[in-house]
């Protein structure tokens, strides 16, 4: 859920339809714009990413994930793509 309006300039989230079952889907990505406080619900297994923020404004989000214990998202939150802890 974005805490500010997600516009094309502030960097909305991009999703690849059907990538939860076919990671190499030929379908083009879909970008969703949302108003502050609107919930975006999606299958966590979808290939997704936040686009670049082309403003000086912060882009706060509330991000909650629910998954089975065995599921590991090795693409969206891999060690090579995320900050080291």
């Amino acid at each position: 859920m974005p805490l500010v309006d997600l516009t094309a300039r502030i960097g909305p989230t991009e999703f690849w339809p059907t990538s939860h079952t076919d990671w190499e889907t030929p379908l083009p990505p879909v970008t969703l714009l949302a108003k502050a406080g609107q919930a975006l619900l999606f299958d966590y297994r979808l290939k997704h990413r936040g686009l670049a923020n082309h403003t000086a404004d912060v882009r706060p989000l509330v991000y909650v994930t629910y998954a089975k214990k065995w599921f590991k998202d090795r693409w969206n939150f891999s060690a090579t793509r995320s900050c080291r802890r």
Side-chain angles (χ1 to χ4, degrees):
M1 176 174 51
L3 301 180
V4 297
D5 291 348
L6 293 183
T7 64
R9 288 195 31 82
I10 203 163
T13 304
E14 187 173 64
F15 300 92
W16 278 260
T18 72
S19 62
H20 64 297
T21 59
D22 177 11
W23 195 253
E24 301 300 326
T25 179
L27 296 175
V30 174
T31 302
L32 298 179
L33 304 179
K35 297 284 184 189
Q38 287 183 319
L40 296 174
L41 299 176
F42 62 95
D43 189 320
Y44 180 59
R45 297 171 297 169
L46 277 176
K47 188 186 295 186
H48 61 283
R49 66 179 180 166
L51 296 177
N53 184 348
H54 297 285
T55 74
D57 301 328
V58 296
R59 181 182 53 195
L61 303 165
V62 173
Y63 197 101
V64 177
T65 303
Y66 176 81
K68 297 282 187 177
K69 275 187 160 181
W70 54 264
F71 180 72
K72 303 288 184 214
D73 185 350
R74 289 181 173 43
W75 171 256
N76 290 302
F77 294 100
S78 69
T80 57
R81 293 182 47 143
S82 300
C83 297
R84 296 189 189 260
R85 297 184 180 132

